């Protein structure tokens, strides 16, 4: 069994089942030591609870990073999600430069938009800075919206083979390994397109016509955990996509649970696939 030290940098949405509150349990379930660096604390995520409270933690980053540098801490993986401002991205680059283990990998989930729009609080300047951060990564995990914002490409709800190939050509100029989510080629289908060092592979699955918040974070953290456990990006895409679908199925039909997915009940299945 692999046991990696993974640093994840993203916000704490106290309520909402996204970012650190899903990444930490999922990476732990995948068998890894998980270190967290919270970019901000929010009362809830920003997608539908109304007037959320945010406390930005950018000011805390230098002292935390400095202490880790003094200790000589090294990470096998640094995986970033929702950040919050461009300064966070500059500080993440410092982490990339000073705290990686010799064969460590840098994973960036741009986590800044969905369904053709940026999340509240973000603008195109943020999106361009995120493209710069992605250029420093070994693997990036954009959805179609984030991919379009970073590649300066038009957003389309329905993707064709040609459209996705074009988008990937542009993304591969930013980063050699791309895990592009929300890619389907037929009605009722969605999936994940993996571009790994010039090779492309599509994993298709059912599309549920409903929005499920936090599924990008569930997918990204199970991908990172499974990749580090199995050593295969292809296997990790399949495991993470199947796990995300199980979480969606566990939540579908519970209209009170509109804000996130009930990933907890699916964790035993994820563990079974890995060990
Ligand atoms: O799941 C992405 C995410 C993470 N963190 C916060 C968010 C969102 C999506 O809306 O608002 C604070």
């Amino acid at each position: 069994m692999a046991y990696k030290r993974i640093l994840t940098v993203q916000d704490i949405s106290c309520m909402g089942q996204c970012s650190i509150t899903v990444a930490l349990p999922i990476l732990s379930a995948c068998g890894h030591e998980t270190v967290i660096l919270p970019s901000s604390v929010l009362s809830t995520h920003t997608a539908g609870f109304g007037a959320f409270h945010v406390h930005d933690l950018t000011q805390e980053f230098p002292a935390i990073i400095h202490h880790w540098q003094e200790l000589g801490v090294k990470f096998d993986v640094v995986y970033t999600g929702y950040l919050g401002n461009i300064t966070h991205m500059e500080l993440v680059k410092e982490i990339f430069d000073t705290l990686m283990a010799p064969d460590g990998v840098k994973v960036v989930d741009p986590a800044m938009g969905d369904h053709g729009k940026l999340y509240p609080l973000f603008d195109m300047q943020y999106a361009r800075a995120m493209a710069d951060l992605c250029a420093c990564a070994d693997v990036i995990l954009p959805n179609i919206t984030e991919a379009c914002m970073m590649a300066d490409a038009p957003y389309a709800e329905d993707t064709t083979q040609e459209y996705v190939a074009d988008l990937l050509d542009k993304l591969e100029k930013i980063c050699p390994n791309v895990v592009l989510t929300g890619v389907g080629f037929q009605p009722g289908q969605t999936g994940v397109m993996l571009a790994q060092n010039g090779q492309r592979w599509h994993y298709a699955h059912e599309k549920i016509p409903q929005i499920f918040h936090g599924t990008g974070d569930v997918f990204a953290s199970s991908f990172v955990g499974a990749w580090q456990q199995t050593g295969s990006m292809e296997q990790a895409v399949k495991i993470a996509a199947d796990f995300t679908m199980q979480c969606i199925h566990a939540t579908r039909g519970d209209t009170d649970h509109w804000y996130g997915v009930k990933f907890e009940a699916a964790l035993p299945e994820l563990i079974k696939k890995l060990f």
Side-chain angles (χ1 to χ4, degrees):
M1 166 182 152
Y3 184 77
K4 302 290 177 84
R5 178 180 292 142
I6 301 178
L7 168 65
T8 188
V9 190
Q10 40 190 319
D11 73 283
I12 295 179
S13 286
C14 298
M15 180 171 180
Q17 286 175 311
C18 65
S19 34
I20 285 183
T21 66
V22 306
L24 181 52
I26 290 172
L27 291 168
S28 301
C30 293
H32 306 295
E33 174 187 355
T34 308
V35 177
I36 61 166
L37 180 51
S39 51
S40 53
V41 181
L42 296 93
S43 51
T44 63
H45 64 53
T46 64
F49 286 100
F52 50 86
H53 170 72
V54 194
H55 178 69
D56 182 82
L57 294 172
T58 315
Q59 305 264 342
E60 311 304 321
F61 272 41
I64 294 171
I65 293 169
H66 182 241
H67 187 205
W68 289 342
Q69 287 167 341
E70 279 198 337
L71 289 171
V73 173
K74 299 287 174 197
F75 298 107
D76 299 306
V77 182
V78 174
Y79 148 46
T80 70
Y82 184 105
L83 292 175
N85 62 49
I86 293 172
T87 309
H88 284 137
M89 298 179 205
E90 293 310 312
L91 291 162
V92 165
K93 287 180 196 166
E94 185 184 343
I95 293 175
F96 285 171
D97 288 342
T98 60
L99 296 173
M100 300 303 304
D103 292 323
V105 288
K106 304 164 216 152
V107 182
V108 174
D109 173 355
M112 61 182 171
D114 212 350
H115 311 289
K117 288 199 200 109
L118 288 168
Y119 294 144
L121 312 180
F122 299 153
D123 56 17
M124 277 315 289
Q125 197 191 354
Y126 185 90
R128 279 189 286 273
M130 186 56 83
D132 282 350
L133 181 64
C134 284
C136 302
D138 298 300
V139 186
I140 58 172
L141 295 103
N143 58 31
I144 298 279
T145 302
E146 292 154 349
C148 289
M149 306 259 173
M150 294 194 295
D152 248 328
Y155 174 77
E157 271 303 326
D158 298 313
T159 51
T160 60
Q161 296 272 3
E162 207 183 8
Y163 174 87
V164 173
D166 229 45
L167 198 49
L168 280 171
D169 287 344
K170 294 189 169 104
L171 292 170
E172 282 175 321
K173 293 198 176 96
I174 300 175
C175 179
N177 299 297
V178 183
V179 181
L180 181 62
T181 58
V183 181
F185 300 114
Q186 289 164 26
Q189 184 201 72
T190 186
V192 184
M193 183 71 101
L194 170 66
Q196 186 177 8
N197 294 321
Q199 305 274 343
R200 291 180 186 176
W201 172 76
H202 185 233
Y203 183 64
H205 60 81
E206 180 190 9
K207 178 173 182 162
I208 312 275
Q210 198 181 321
I211 290 175
F212 291 93
H213 296 293
T215 47
D217 302 338
V218 167
F219 174 80
S221 31
S222 50
F223 169 81
V224 171
W227 174 36
Q228 292 302 306
Q229 200 50 256
T230 62
S232 156
M233 281 200 216
E234 260 185 52
Q235 242 182 296
V237 163
K238 186 174 180 316
I239 289 169
D242 291 350
F243 173 62
T244 307
M245 284 309 290
Q246 280 176 341
C247 299
I248 287 174
H249 282 297
T251 314
R252 213 182 161 193
D254 183 349
T255 49
D256 286 343
H257 208 100
W258 59 269
Y259 50 86
V261 286
K262 297 175 175 178
F263 68 94
E264 300 84 356
L267 285 174
E269 283 300 312
L270 175 65
I271 293 168
K272 249 193 255 168
K273 285 191 183 124
L274 293 174
F275 304 105

